[in-house]
């Protein structure tokens, strides 16, 4: 049997694997396919309905209004809190026609000029020198500036006839109530006898002064103290020995 040799022509090959490979054509077609897929994806996304957009905007507005309202409410609460509970600082002098302002000279022994940040109570004392006047006790405090004998003073002194002297501004320390000098106002009361009982005039002026100070500094009945309540000293003597009289005094302030 005779075999003929036939030269194969590459151009006439029917094998798909033998077809020429056009790189540029494939890449271009792939890119177009990707773009078509992206376009189909975008076109498939439906726009958000207008009613839903409006509802979202309305919800955002409501949230904004609520948050703004909460902020305003918080500010109001803070202002009320500061007004009711923060330290109230009235004028340092009690400008009443029934009070005589007679300040001590500034000095380290009776008026050091140290500021009080907050008033938390009022402390009642008796002078311990029967029969002496408010002016005599004030002169004693003033004389300490030169004598340096001790540290002593009081914001107010009430005399035997009910006269009231203010010796130290209410926003400054007076040396009268031991460890409570830095947050209290002190009141010294004159008395005619050794028992320390006040005259009716002294008592009436004390009640009036205590009532005024409690209103100014928002103090309660529990914020009216005796020197005895601070340090254990028998001062004011009569009201240490007569607890019922002291309780009645505090009630009279708020009656």
């Amino acid at each position: 049997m005779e075999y003929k040799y036939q030269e194969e022509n590459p151009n006439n090959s029917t094998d798909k694997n033998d077809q020429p490979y056009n790189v540029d054509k494939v890449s271009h077609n792939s890119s177009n396919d990707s773009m078509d897929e992206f376009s189909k994806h975008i076109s498939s996304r439906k726009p958000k309905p207008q009613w839903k957009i409006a509802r979202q905007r309305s919800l955002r507005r409501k949230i904004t209004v609520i948050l703004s309202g909460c902020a305003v409410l918080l500010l109001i609460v803070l202002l009320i809190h500061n007004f009711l509970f923060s330290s109230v600082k009235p004028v340092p002098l009690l400008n009443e026609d029934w009070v005589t302002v007679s300040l001590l000279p500034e000095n380290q022994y009776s008026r050091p000029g140290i500021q009080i940040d907050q008033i938390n109570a009022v402390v009642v004392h008796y002078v311990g020198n029967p029969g002496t006047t408010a002016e005599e006790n004030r002169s004693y405090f003033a004389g300490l500036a030169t004598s340096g004998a001790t540290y002593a003073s009081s914001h107010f002194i009430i005399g035997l006839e009910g006269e009231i002297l203010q010796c130290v501004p209410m926003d400054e320390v007076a040396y009268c109530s031991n460890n409570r000098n830095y947050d209290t106002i002190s009141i010294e009361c004159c008395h005619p006898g050794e028992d320390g009982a006040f005259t009716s005039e002294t008592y009436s002026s004390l009640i009036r002064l205590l009532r005024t100070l409690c209103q100014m500094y928002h103090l309660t009945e529990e914020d009216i103290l005796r020197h005895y309540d601070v340090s254990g000293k028998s001062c004011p003597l009569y009201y240490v020995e007569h607890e019922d009289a002291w309780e009645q005094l505090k009630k009279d302030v708020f009656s």
Side-chain angles (χ1 to χ4, degrees):
M1 184 177 292
E2 183 179 357
Y3 292 94
K4 286 188 177 180
Y5 173 78
Q6 182 177 1
E7 185 177 354
E8 295 181 355
N9 187 351
N11 295 330
N12 295 329
S13 175
T14 58
D15 191 344
K16 291 183 179 180
N17 293 329
D18 293 336
Q19 294 295 326
Y21 188 77
N22 191 330
V23 176
D24 292 337
K25 184 177 180 181
V26 172
S27 299
H28 179 70
N29 290 338
S30 299
S31 177
N32 287 340
D33 292 343
S34 298
M35 289 300 294
D36 290 342
E37 290 296 326
F38 179 75
S39 299
K40 290 179 181 179
H41 174 71
I42 293 299
S43 62
S44 65
R45 295 178 60 184
K46 295 181 179 180
K48 190 177 294 186
Q50 291 299 316
W51 65 267
K52 184 175 292 187
I53 295 174
R55 188 172 67 177
Q56 290 178 343
R57 289 176 179 173
S58 176
L59 181 60
R60 283 196 294 267
R61 283 196 295 269
K62 289 180 180 179
I63 293 174
T64 301
V65 170
I66 292 173
L67 292 177
S68 300
C70 290
V72 172
L73 182 61
L74 179 60
L75 179 60
I76 293 173
V77 170
L78 290 175
L79 290 174
I80 293 175
H81 179 274
N82 289 337
F83 176 77
L84 294 177
F85 300 104
S86 65
S87 59
V88 180
K89 294 185 178 180
V91 291
L93 304 179
L94 193 57
N95 294 319
E96 301 287 351
D97 56 7
W98 40 273
V99 175
T100 301
V101 177
S102 184
L103 299 180
L104 302 172
E106 288 197 29
N107 67 93
Q108 62 177 317
Y109 296 101
S110 57
R111 188 189 165 193
I114 300 172
Q115 294 294 302
I116 295 179
D117 293 329
Q118 182 170 329
I119 300 299
N120 295 320
V122 180
V123 184
V124 178
H125 306 254
Y126 85 138
V127 296
N129 296 314
T132 56
T133 66
E135 185 58 45
E136 288 172 336
N137 284 279
R138 188 251 175 221
S139 296
Y140 170 74
F141 292 147
L144 295 176
T146 54
S147 70
T150 188
Y151 295 90
S153 59
S154 183
H155 290 92
F156 297 93
I157 306 174
I158 304 179
L160 297 171
E161 297 180 0
E163 69 275 22
I164 302 176
L165 302 180
Q166 181 172 6
C167 303
V168 178
M170 293 181 292
D171 62 349
E172 292 184 19
V173 166
Y175 289 138
C176 201
S177 305
N178 302 85
N179 62 316
R180 296 301 301 271
N181 288 333
Y182 296 91
D183 73 332
T184 63
I185 290 176
S186 54
I187 304 173
E188 287 277 8
C189 298
C190 297
H191 48 95
E194 294 287 346
D195 63 351
F198 302 157
T199 65
S200 59
E201 293 83 1
T202 300
Y203 186 89
S204 295
S205 292
L206 176 61
I207 296 300
R208 188 179 191 182
L209 180 57
L210 285 171
R211 184 177 295 137
T212 300
L213 294 174
C214 287
Q215 290 173 350
M216 293 177 68
Y217 291 98
H218 304 286
L219 304 178
T220 68
E221 186 175 315
E222 299 303 316
D223 300 320
I224 301 176
L225 308 175
R226 300 166 293 184
H227 192 181
Y228 171 79
D229 300 317
V230 175
S231 67
K233 181 179 179 179
S234 295
C235 171
L237 180 61
Y238 183 82
Y239 293 97
V240 172
E241 296 179 345
H242 299 82
E243 286 283 348
D244 56 337
W246 176 247
E247 293 301 322
Q248 184 59 51
L249 184 151
K250 292 192 292 182
K251 286 181 172 60
D252 290 343
V253 173
F254 291 93
S255 63

